[in-house]
Amino acid sequence: MLSIGEFSKICHLTLKTIRYHDEIGLLKPAYTDAKSGYRYYNISQLETALLITRLKTYLFSLEEIKMMLTNGQDVSLFLAKMKAKQKNLSQQIIFYSSLLKKLELDIQLLEEEKNIMSYLQQIDIKLVDHLPFNILAQRKQLNIANFLIHFNELLSKVVFEKLTPAAKPLAIFHSA
């Protein structure tokens, strides 16, 4: 058995971090002295502590790590989570690479003493009038189960009035 201090040194985690992992149920000590409250860990728990550290470097949340460790025997689930994280990180890399390129261009413009918002001068804005259009609407307080009844009332009106819809029907629900 290793004291929490020894365990901390070996796995390169602070005492505070190890205590927090215990508090949230991520890595419980093998034994806790009832009188002193000292925590003791088995050498076999080092692998789990190091795995937690590795998963944290991959930017998994502690909640995600806890779920992955809880289902540790399910290799396919673990692999799926790792691949999903890989995809997410790849998307973030693409996003941040694009953002970095834009930032570099703005820095270049500023170094040339140019306005980074000068692109707005090339945008041609024209105000145009558009034809007015009518909206057939109905506002009711109703049970969601009766939605189709009320929706069909509106559609019947469209057919009866021989109206031609210009767009797809739309329903908006407001909470109470």
Side-chain angles (χ1 to χ4, degrees), residues 27-58:
L27 180 60
K28 291 283 194 189
Y31 171 74
T32 304
D33 186 285
K35 290 182 183 177
S36 65
Y38 288 163
R39 296 168 173 92
Y40 294 93
Y41 293 83
N42 285 326
I43 290 180
S44 62
Q45 290 179 289
L46 286 172
E47 184 178 342
T48 304
L50 295 172
L51 177 60
I52 291 168
T53 301
R54 176 177 247 160
L55 294 174
K56 282 171 55 177
T57 63
Y58 297 148

Side-chain angles (χ1 to χ4, degrees), residues 60-79:
F60 281 101
S61 69
L62 292 178
E63 188 176 302
E64 290 172 312
I65 294 170
K66 185 177 179 181
M67 193 272 305
M68 291 169 75
L69 293 178
T70 303
N71 299 318
Q73 287 76 2
D74 189 352
V75 177
S76 61
L77 177 66
F78 199 89
L79 179 62

Side-chain angles (χ1 to χ4, degrees), residues 69-121:
L69 293 178
T70 303
N71 299 318
Q73 287 76 2
D74 189 352
V75 177
S76 61
L77 177 66
F78 199 89
L79 179 62
K81 290 286 184 188
M82 296 286 279
K83 285 184 175 184
K85 182 57 76 173
Q86 179 186 34
K87 182 178 179 183
N88 177 270
L89 288 174
S90 294
Q91 290 170 341
Q92 286 185 33
I93 288 169
I94 291 167
F95 171 77
Y96 283 113
S97 292
S98 172
L99 190 61
L100 182 59
K101 286 178 184 175
K102 289 177 184 177
L103 179 61
E104 289 168 349
L105 288 172
D106 282 348
I107 289 171
Q108 182 181 353
L109 287 171
L110 289 170
E111 287 175 342
E112 295 170 1
E113 297 182 6
K114 294 180 180 175
N115 183 349
I116 62 173
M117 300 303 289
S118 62
Y119 71 92
L120 292 174
Q121 295 168 0

